[in-house]
Amino acid sequence: MNYFSSNFKLGILGGGQLGKMLLFDTRKFDIQTYVLDPSEEAPCKIACNHFFQGDLMDFETVYNFGKQVDVLTFEIELVNLEALEKLENEGKKVYPSPKTLKLIQNKGIQKNFYLEHNIPTAPAKTFKNLKKLVVEIVESKLEMPFVWKCTEFGYDGNGVKIIRSLQDVENLPNVECIAEEMVPFKNELAVIVCRNPSGEIKTYPVVEMEFHPEANQVEYVICPARIDEKVAEKARAIALEVSKKFNHVGLLAVEMFQTQDDEILVNEVAPRPHNSGHYSIEASYTSQFENHLRAILDLPLGNTDSKVAGIMVNLSGAEGFSGDVIYENIETILGWNGVTPHIYGKKQTRPFRKMGHVTIVNEDINVARKIAEDVKNTIRVISK
Amino acid sequence: MNYFSSNFKLGILGGGQLGKMLLFDTRKFDIQTYVLDPSEEAPCKIACNHFFQGDLMDFETVYNFGKQVDVLTFEIELVNLEALEKLENEGKKVYPSPKTLKLIQNKGIQKNFYLEHNIPTAPAKTFKNLKKLVVEIVESKLEMPFVWKCTEFGYDGNGVKIIRSLQDVENLPNVECIAEEMVPFKNELAVIVCRNPSGEIKTYPVVEMEFHPEANQVEYVICPARIDEKVAEKARAIALEVSKKFNHVGLLAVEMFQTQDDEILVNEVAPRPHNSGHYSIEASYTSQFENHLRAILDLPLGNTDSKVAGIMVNLSGAEGFSGDVIYENIETILGWNGVTPHIYGKKQTRPFRKMGHVTIVNEDINVARKIAEDVKNTIRVISK
């Protein structure tokens, strides 16, 4: 297959920031792209060859979009699965496969997949709805505290809640959910795995999510994780095992917990470029986006090693600001060593909206960490 | 000035590969771009916000294009200078300034600039036309061999010829030209300097052009140059001196010769991103394109140091092939460590047409050099 400056067509479902960063690599390789997104102001609207506005959850829209391309991928999991299945059944190349997506889209199914395949994970139980869960609490069959997760349509911490008392359950939606045992952990880690249809597999180094000591929010994604070499090896091996079990094509971001006694438990996976891999644009020999592209086109995978240490800070909309965005003090941080802001191209900010990220690279991870803290304390996403 | 996700408009004259690579950074920062290029199939057509088709040498076209943007830059020197001057006189920010461009566009004026400012360069004489030059040869006032260069509209080796006998002059155009003393040199070097309107200046490391031993063509651009540290320091100091004399804004690529006795002579400059700086996308903390953008927007300049050694190989159309392009064996080179092809997006190949480049990065410059040779011997730009 000739992909480069040819009539080959790559379709991408979703036109957000992940798609936007993927388009850097399709343009670098001059691969023709078709993008579908519901928003007329999607970050992918420029830099793709053909943009289509439409509902990603609508069967007809996704099916008709997919019919016209040669390979179809997605940058968001919330897409119409039935359309992907029909396209794949008709012989269209859909990567990752809807079979993989089906195992991941629903957190109950995903959790059972780990349990069935002996992949270390926190014990959990699935409930058809909230009422059934409440019954078990009342009957003392379910011990508190535990982590409640809705099985579908949750993202970025939405749809996840720690339940310490019956009161905490009160305002939750009455949907299918899981109750997961709370595991005290030292670190939240992630490993991105890429795999192409020929079966070539590579893992990126283990990254560490550093949390704010009080706010319990991820502040920094740090590569490499500042953990024991043996723990890192174990995390990479488990991520590889998960990847093999899913038999996916493309990227698989595997989020994990490092427990107090250095066990690794798989939390959840995402079958696409992932926030925890954004550092790779500046720090790695091959970025996660380029490797996703290489993988779904069955090209050889690129080197996943790092040139330098990398730290990522998310740029989210500050509380109390809504409207036309201003990146306060961005000029200041641009003056610092190894600092690269990525602005996703959303015109309007809202509290907590993901507006961009900043990567800090340095030969010395401790220097990078210091600069990252300065970045975090300096730039602010506000409105006019 | 708020550039990021705002209504600010950056105009770029020229929509070729240099512009295309600049657009990676305008998109990363979400800066709105307007591009003017004569070709409907310009590589910049996607990934800019607004594309205009038109003649870059036409006064009205360039003037009207420039009127609608806030800052105007160019990725090619062959643009209508009078239009730029009028725009600048009317208060438009044009970077680099037409004053700089005027000193560079004509090689006779550029040469005199070096001579007047005591910048080391090979001695040369300007002639109004070829006939006047021939007269001096006949009258034995001009010693052969020498290097003939037309003063305007030459690029990439066009408009340059070594004259060893009267016969060599025969088919040259009867235009303004210079005759430059032939200096035997060990190495051809280049240093890219960036400077912003506030006067912040940074130089990239010295790169070396390695020539094919027989064909006398540049085969590899190597960063850092494998030369004595003192010579490198001298080259960087001279490039800085040239930059200060031009007082330019944006990038200035300074091409130099290292003579047999380690003198540095300035050959010529380009006031824009340059082929000799393409390695910087993968190898440097801040690419030349990002630094050009930072410079013309008067933002702080990024770190010009390298993370790893970088080597660039140009991808030119192979002799004997014209038509729809095929990058033969590109899949093979993608399997090698640290190899990144950049495909410019020209659908049609022609012999010697610049179609792309490949960057090879590695911690060890000798390993990179070996892989670069393999790349050169493996990938071929042919047609269907």
Side-chain angles (χ1 to χ4, degrees), chain A residues 20 27 282 303 307 337, chain B residues 20 282 303 307 337:
Chain A
K20 178 184 170 179
R27 289 190 61 240
E282 283 80 18
N303 186 352
K307 299 169 192 167
N337 218 340
Chain B
K20 178 185 170 179
E282 283 81 18
N303 186 353
K307 299 170 194 167
N337 217 340

Side-chain angles (χ1 to χ4, degrees), chain B residues 107-153:
Chain B
K107 284 185 187 174
I109 296 175
Q110 191 184 142
K111 180 60 93 172
N112 287 335
F113 182 84
Y114 301 139
L115 296 171
E116 280 165 24
H117 288 87
N118 292 319
I119 291 163
T121 189
K125 199 173 165 181
T126 309
F127 297 92
K128 273 287 161 211
N129 53 51
L130 192 69
K131 280 185 192 158
K132 301 209 179 212
L133 179 144
V134 172
V135 168
E136 292 222 352
I137 299 180
V138 173
E139 291 177 353
S140 300
K141 286 182 185 166
L142 195 57
E143 234 175 281
M144 291 186 284
F146 64 85
V147 183
W148 169 90
K149 292 177 179 176
C150 67
T151 57
E152 285 182 350
F153 309 118

